Amino acid sequence: MAYKIKVWCLLLVLLKLVSNLQNCAHAAPQVPCFFIFGDSLADSGNNNNLATAAKANYRPYGIDFPDGTTGRFTNGRTVVDIIGELLGFNQFIPPFATARGRDILVGVNYASGAAGIRDESGRQLGDRISLNEQLLNHVTTLSRLTQLLGTKQAAANYLNKCLYYVSLGSNDYLNNYFMPSEYITSRLYTPDQYAKVLIDRYSLQIKLLYHLGARKIALPGLGPIGSIPYSFSTLCRNNLSCVTNINNALLPFNDRLVSLVDQLNRELNDARFIYLNSTGMSSGDPSVLGFRVTNVGCCPARSDGQCIQDSTPCQNRTEYVFWDAIHPTEALNQFTARRSYNAFLPSDAYPTDISHLIS
Ligand SMILES: *[C@@H]1O[C@H](CO)[C@@H](O)[C@H](O)[C@H]1NC(C)=O
Ligand SMILES: *[C@@H]1O[C@H](CO)[C@@H](O)[C@H](O)[C@H]1NC(C)=O
Ligand SMILES: *[C@@H]1O[C@H](CO)[C@@H](O)[C@H](O)[C@H]1NC(C)=O
């Protein structure tokens, strides 16, 4: 335990150092563009005009964000917003739903709340843009980019320098496998079989992205979804062995994703792929980082885990790990983003972190 605390204190010092370095740098971004595929952890407004419960375009979402409520599922910035800042972008990457004209030159955020690797995941919440549809939207972006840059070759040369961040899978568990009243997957597959089915499909989707010009791809694993307040109180009704069951079911997904990263790096050797260790990064003692509340979200939550509209959230948002019953606060996102960009522990990223992926 004493050792753990020492490591965390060291991390804090390093964090401070990195943030000071970042503040000095205001040059051009380190990559020309940043493309984001994902779910509610990265959504920045793509669901606002969809018929779904999975949207965050109401108060108190965005209470600490410069532009207020935008559709982000947190109080402030998401992990990808902060990674974008660390990359040196002086604007947020625009959501596909509203990106127009030259906006797309810095990249596009396709992420959609409730979306999954499987098309049906999240269906019970309403419309969402599954990873397959996000890839189709990317094809639209590519033809717009080709028009802006003049030729296919110019577009390809531009795209292969960009960072791609693909973060899905949570809803294939929370809003699919662990919702047996709505989905049959848990009756068809054991957790290990399901992880294989998901990773086989994910592999094809990631290879398609490669064929569309991506060469630097970051793939975050799943965090310990069983431990979020929604899983504990709603899915598991405070039953701890149920929480452990959920977290254990995610292990084969993460293991297979690491193997996929190895395989893709071998097979597609003009591209680079990294795994970001979300579970590893959430495994320290959060109180050392200043967090005091880890078991409930900051805003009063609905039964589906999102904030109740116009409810009054907690005052001290930096002391809470969770903003609603599902999504982390900006305070936790800061740590996740900085460690994804610049690993603090060797286990944070594999085989390397984002700063090395793009260099
Ligand atoms: C708690 O969860 C476990 C695993 O899901 C289950 O086997 C057990 O019956 C549950 N206990 C109660 C009291 O519901
Ligand atoms: C992820 O982090 C955990 C906990 O630190 C560690 O046991 C595991 O080996 C890491 N995974 C990878 C692929 O580095
Ligand atoms: C906010 O945090 C400070 C310092 O930890 C504490 O003194 C104060 O009581 C907290 N306020 C609320 C409303 O929780």
Side-chain angles (χ1 to χ4, degrees):
M1 193 59 206
Y3 167 75
K4 224 183 204 170
I5 292 189
K6 263 190 216 148
V7 171
W8 282 99
C9 290
L10 182 68
L11 290 186
L12 277 179
V13 173
L14 287 173
L15 271 178
K16 192 94 190 74
L17 198 73
V18 172
S19 87
N20 289 347
L21 283 176
Q22 280 302 325
N23 291 342
C24 309
H26 268 299
Q30 296 149 29
V31 288
C33 41
F34 182 21
F35 289 100
I36 299 146
F37 299 81
D39 52 31
S40 57
L41 292 169
D43 192 347
S44 57
N46 286 312
N47 278 16
N48 289 354
N49 292 317
L50 299 186
T52 175
K55 52 181 162 184
N57 59 345
Y58 59 87
R59 306 252 321 151
Y61 286 104
I63 187 169
D64 299 314
F65 192 75
D67 308 328
T69 301
T70 57
R72 284 171 173 76
F73 289 74
T74 183
N75 58 310
R77 290 166 297 164
T78 62
V79 168
V80 289
D81 287 333
I82 299 164
I83 291 175
E85 289 177 356
L86 294 170
L87 292 168
F89 288 99
N90 58 15
Q91 63 182 108
F92 295 113
I93 303 303
F96 180 77
T98 54
R100 294 288 173 269
R102 301 181 64 82
D103 296 352
I104 60 172
L105 286 172
V106 295
V108 176
N109 182 343
Y110 304 99
S112 165
I117 293 169
R118 293 171 69 91
D119 291 339
E120 85 271 14
S121 297
R123 178 186 61 203
Q124 91 284 0
L125 292 166
D127 292 342
R128 70 260 159 239
I129 308 159
S130 68
L131 178 54
N132 283 334
E133 290 169 295
Q134 293 181 33
L135 288 163
L136 287 176
N137 288 341
H138 188 51
V139 172
T140 302
T141 296
L142 298 189
S143 69
R144 291 180 186 162
L145 259 176
T146 305
Q147 284 194 326
L148 284 174
L149 297 173
T151 63
K152 275 199 159 158
Q153 192 54 49
N157 287 343
Y158 193 72
L159 290 165
N160 65 22
K161 298 184 188 73
C162 301
L163 174 65
Y164 296 75
Y165 180 98
V166 186
S167 178
L168 288 110
S170 298
N171 290 307
D172 298 293
Y173 286 94
L174 274 187
N175 288 310
N176 191 326
Y177 196 77
F178 288 113
M179 201 165 273
S181 58
E182 302 276 345
Y183 302 89
I184 59 165
T185 47
S186 62
R187 293 187 286 280
L188 294 178
Y189 307 114
T190 65
D192 196 50
Q193 289 167 340
Y194 190 57
K196 181 175 184 329
V197 165
L198 287 179
I199 292 292
D200 285 349
R201 187 168 307 188
Y202 211 22
S203 168
L204 295 176
Q205 291 160 328
I206 294 162
K207 284 179 183 162
L208 172 59
L209 190 57
Y210 167 87
H211 288 296
L212 296 173
R215 292 296 179 268
K216 298 164 187 221
I217 305 180
L219 301 168
L222 300 178
I225 300 172
S227 307
I228 65 177
Y230 167 79
S231 300
F232 183 63
S233 54
T234 305
L235 286 185
C236 290
R237 300 203 177 86
N238 303 353
N239 176 347
L240 274 176
S241 65
C242 161
V243 166
T244 308
N245 260 356
I246 296 183
N247 286 336
N248 285 344
L250 310 174
L251 297 178
F253 180 92
N254 285 340
D255 288 346
R256 286 176 185 276
L257 187 54
V258 174
S259 305
L260 178 63
V261 162
D262 279 333
Q263 184 204 328
L264 293 171
N265 279 322
R266 264 195 320 269
E267 286 178 10
L268 308 173
N269 50 30
D270 60 341
R272 291 209 284 167
F273 299 84
I274 64 168
Y275 171 78
L276 299 170
N277 196 344
S278 310
T279 298
M281 288 189 250
S282 4
S283 67
D285 173 1
S287 68
V288 183
L289 303 175
F291 293 107
R292 302 203 314 180
V293 186
T294 59
N295 60 342
V296 292
C298 167
C299 69
R302 311 189 302 218
S303 63
D304 65 5
Q306 284 189 222
C307 297
I308 293 170
Q309 186 158 355
D310 297 325
S311 59
T312 304
C314 68
Q315 289 287 317
N316 287 350
R317 262 100 57 189
T318 56
E319 296 184 343
Y320 281 68
V321 166
F322 292 99
W323 161 247
D324 57 17
I326 300 174
H327 306 96
T329 52
E330 176 184 273
L332 186 74
N333 289 341
Q334 283 271 7
F335 286 99
T336 311
R338 288 170 187 278
R339 293 175 70 170
S340 302
Y341 181 77
N342 251 157
F344 292 131
L345 296 179
S347 58
D348 286 353
Y350 173 85
T352 187
D353 59 24
I354 291 177
S355 72
H356 289 89
L357 173 69
I358 61 174
S359 69

